[in-house]
Amino acid sequence: MIGAQTRWLRLLCLGILSLAVAVYGWRSAPRAKLNRRFAIQTLVVTWWATGVAGAQSGYAIHFWGRWSFTAAALLPAVFLAFAEAFPTEKLPFPHLFARSVYIFAGSLAVIAMTSPWIAHNFGLIDGVLRRTAGP
């Protein structure tokens, strides 16, 4: 069985590797829309992985739990933004839909960070990360 210390270190390393991929992708063509959106998507994944790693560390679990849920709320929107920029296909829905998704995801992220409505009572119980779902 992997200890909590090893788990959070692995997740932290994953976050650092993901950050390196984001920077590399963006720096290869900083003005390209696809590269910028790929970098943003990868940074949000890094944000999420870092939050999970922080929660697994056992320190400031409440902060890291909210941090990871905030990033998770943004993941669908950043994936959509990346898919919109991908050059092979035109998306079959209007820009209003995408903007609505961005606004909704941003709203969920703010709610996740500032209130117990998404998740609360984060903790490690017998080495397993637990939380209580909000209403």
Side-chain angles (χ1 to χ4, degrees), residues 7 23 25 36 40 49-50 70 75 77-78 81 87 92 112 116 119-120 128 130:
R7 259 195 312 262
V23 170
R36 285 193 315 265
I40 291 168
T50 306
T70 301
L75 284 171
V78 296
H120 57 95
V128 177
R130 306 275 184 188

Side-chain angles (χ1 to χ4, degrees), residues 34-129:
L34 180 63
N35 289 42
R36 285 193 315 265
R37 291 196 179 184
F38 172 78
I40 291 168
Q41 175 186 341
T42 308
L43 287 173
V44 173
V45 170
T46 301
W47 178 0
W48 173 79
T50 306
V52 173
Q56 288 285 344
S57 74
Y59 300 104
I61 295 173
H62 184 74
F63 169 79
W64 290 115
R66 289 201 181 278
W67 177 274
S68 61
F69 270 87
T70 301
L74 295 173
L75 284 171
V78 296
F79 179 75
L80 176 62
F82 174 66
E84 275 188 319
F86 209 77
T88 60
E89 298 268 337
K90 186 79 173 152
L91 292 180
F93 44 82
H95 289 290
L96 180 61
F97 174 77
R99 289 188 191 273
S100 300
V101 169
Y102 302 150
I103 291 168
F104 183 68
S107 300
L108 277 180
V110 169
I111 290 169
M113 183 56 86
T114 61
S115 76
W117 293 354
I118 305 292
H120 57 95
N121 293 337
F122 299 94
L124 285 173
I125 301 171
D126 296 326
V128 177
L129 187 59

